[in-house]
Structures are given as structure tokens and as C-alpha cells.
Amino acid sequence: MKVDANMGLQVQAKNNQVTDEIKHAVSDSKKSNQVQASPPFLQTGPALPDEAYRGKSDNGKLEVITYSSNGKLNIPSRYAEHRELLERVINSTSKLYLHDSPAAADRIAEEYEKTSADINRQVPGLNNRHWGFSIDSSGSLVATGNLTQQQKQVVEKTLNANEELVKAAQDFKSHFLEGLEIERGKVGTSQYWGKYDVTEENFADIIDFKEMVTQSINDNAERERTGYILDKYTWTLNIADQFSARAEANFAKS
């Protein structure tokens, strides 16, 4: 069984992991089938809500990756013995690379665009300073980088005044940390994003939302075409770069 999310370098590497793990888990490789998880960032319109998807089996072939009302992954009975592996790989991929975290990132970008003009108006010359923002362990947005104390206070007050921006950042962190934990699984290691030691306490030291937005922003034509503010491919690469620059790979496979 192969999970082909068609998401570029980072997610393709993740899919290769899925392929290798499931090949070892399923003994009859000649009868292994393909799982396609089409990511919303590559669709021409917004993704359907999760409850609109249903698992569908055609002669044992899993055609749609979805969940039932009880939260269990819909898979054909022939794969039931591999449920833990499939759920871990598919759930972490959905949380981190395809759905929950990218969707929250797009909301952050949308709300930050609404707020950035107000910030620049209140703090003249801010564009000439290297700064960013993230979310701390209390759930509040915090300014980072080369700012004076007064500038930091103004920026943080303005950011936190946007309740939708705060909620999007909180959702992003929640989905992201959960996805990392799921990806590591019982073995506690990963060769992808789950290898990095990111927690509630150090999240603000590692993930910079302003960098994420400015480095991944779509132009107007792409927004019109895709319906998304951020380009998923460059978003994936930027998050990987932020991890590489500021996070410790304490959970890497030996």
C-alpha cells in the first residue's frame, strides 16, 4: 500500500516512509493497494469538512481516507490487523502536512494581513527591523526579534486584539504538537518533523508565524486560482527550515 499525497519534497518523503512501513507490515505485497489522500491545498476549491468524507472500499482497495462518527479510521477489514500503523501514519500526515496545520496556517495568514497595516501604522519604521511573532505556553501571541520594549508591547497588544488571529495560532499549535506526538508513536522516534523536540514551552522559540506567512504567501493570481493565501509547497519548506534552524532533533531515529 502506498500513500501518495503529491505534496512536494517534504510530503513525498513522508509518503515514501508510509510505503516502506506498510510494505513490511503487509506480507502479501503483490496484492497491496494504493491509498490516495488528495490535499486541500492542491484542489481548486476549499476542502470539504471531515464529516463529508467516508471510507470506501472497492474489492479491498481503500479509495478514500476518512473517519467514522466514532473517530475511527475507515479501512477495509483486510487491513484491520495493521490499524495502529495506518492510523498513526495517516493521522499524523493529516495533522501536520495535509489538513489541520496547513488550514490553521492559512487562517493565521488571513488574519495577520488584516492586522499588519495597523501594526505598521502604530510603529513607524517597523519594516526596517527584523521581528516576528509566535504563541507562548499561555496561549497569547508574543513578539520576537529586534524590537524595543515599547515596540514589543504595542505589537503584542495589537496582535492579541485580533481574536481570530489568536484562535488560529492556538489551533495551529494544538494540531501541530498533536501531530508530532502521533508521528512518533509508541516507539517515540521519527525521521520527519516528529524528530524535532517542539513543546508547549519552547514553541515560541522555534516557530515564527510572521516568517511562515511572508515566506509562503501566494500572489493574487494564485489566491484566486487555489482559494488559499499560502502556497502549500513553500509553506512546507519554510516549516522544515525553521525546525532545522532552531529545533533539536532529539527524537530522530538512530
Side-chain angles (χ1 to χ4, degrees), residues 95-135:
K95 282 279 181 185
L96 292 173
Y97 309 98
L98 300 183
H99 300 113
D100 297 351
S101 294
D106 217 57
R107 288 164 50 210
I108 290 172
E110 180 180 15
E111 295 302 324
Y112 175 65
E113 285 196 330
K114 298 176 183 177
T115 302
S116 59
D118 193 21
I119 293 175
N120 289 325
R121 178 183 59 80
Q122 294 186 63
V123 188
L126 198 60
N127 287 333
N128 298 323
R129 288 182 173 269
H130 180 73
W131 70 280
F133 74 95
S134 191
I135 185 167

Side-chain angles (χ1 to χ4, degrees), residues 172-205:
F172 181 95
K173 183 172 74 169
S174 175
H175 293 316
F176 211 81
L177 294 180
E178 183 180 0
L180 296 177
E181 191 70 25
I182 293 172
E183 186 174 279
R184 290 191 284 264
K186 294 179 181 179
V187 295
T189 60
S190 170
Q191 64 188 101
Y192 301 100
W193 287 357
K195 70 183 179 182
Y196 292 107
D197 189 4
V198 186
T199 66
E200 287 277 355
E201 290 70 29
N202 69 11
F203 187 91
D205 298 323

